[in-house]
Amino acid sequence: MNQKIILAYDGSLESQQALLKCKEISQWEHAQVHLIAVVPYDTIPVGHETSYYTEQHNQVEQLRRLKTLKEGVKQLTDAGLESIGELLKGDAVEQIVKYAVSIEADLIVLGHKQYGNKLERWWRGAIPKALIEYSPCSFLVIIVK
């Protein structure tokens, strides 16, 4: 029984498809959906060996993700579902796993686009694979082709 569902949500096509699937699952299970967005602490390359972190860049990204998160929560709420939005900061995999443990989540849902060549799969596929490895609960990947 899935009573607490986490959806990693960034507003992308993949996460929009996962949101639609989450609506179906949560209505069927009468579950609470936790939409979470993670703002990474990125560094900006300056040269071959140095980089720096800009607070301004992070604030812009944080506002963008917060807006997207609110829109997702509104979609779920408008559909009559119990939903909570959380904006987290740091490494996406670490923060999602930590959040899942803290709320004793039953299911993590993630949208994922399949890529055609090996380089694209290697470059973009790290987060779903890592989440599957470290997830403290069941995991559902919504494939977008």
Side-chain angles (χ1 to χ4, degrees):
M1 185 180 291
N2 300 314
Q3 294 300 310
K4 293 181 184 173
I5 299 173
I6 291 176
L7 172 59
Y9 190 75
D10 64 2
S12 66
L13 173 63
E14 297 84 12
S15 66
Q16 287 286 335
Q17 291 297 317
L19 181 71
L20 293 174
K21 185 59 75 173
C22 243
K23 284 181 186 179
E24 293 173 22
I25 293 168
S26 63
Q27 287 175 337
W28 180 54
E29 295 283 346
H30 305 289
Q32 181 181 67
V33 179
H34 295 251
L35 255 61
I36 58 173
V38 182
V39 178
Y41 290 131
D42 286 335
T43 56
I44 299 171
V46 176
H48 294 299
E49 298 178 17
T50 60
S51 60
Y52 67 96
Y53 164 79
T54 64
E55 184 61 33
Q56 181 183 13
H57 175 266
N58 188 263
Q59 288 174 353
V60 168
E61 186 62 20
Q62 186 173 336
L63 289 174
R64 184 187 73 77
R65 292 193 188 219
L66 188 59
K67 180 180 183 245
T68 301
L69 186 63
K70 286 180 180 180
E71 290 168 356
V73 169
K74 183 177 180 336
Q75 285 183 42
L76 291 171
T77 303
D78 289 351
L81 304 175
E82 183 180 354
S83 61
I84 296 169
E86 288 287 336
L87 184 67
L88 308 174
K89 297 178 186 177
D91 176 72
V93 173
E94 181 182 311
Q95 293 302 315
I96 292 168
V97 168
K98 189 187 299 184
Y99 188 82
V101 169
S102 74
I103 68 162
E104 298 178 349
D106 300 298
L107 179 67
I108 296 174
V109 178
L110 180 72
H112 178 71
K113 180 173 171 56
Q114 291 180 329
Y115 294 94
N117 67 51
K118 290 180 183 178
L119 180 59
E120 284 179 315
R121 283 194 298 273
W122 171 79
W123 183 255
R124 300 185 186 264
I127 291 177
K129 290 175 188 173
L131 271 173
I132 290 169
E133 286 296 318
Y134 296 106
S135 178
C137 58
S138 295
F139 194 86
L140 175 62
V141 178
I142 307 301
I143 301 295
V144 177
K145 294 183 181 191

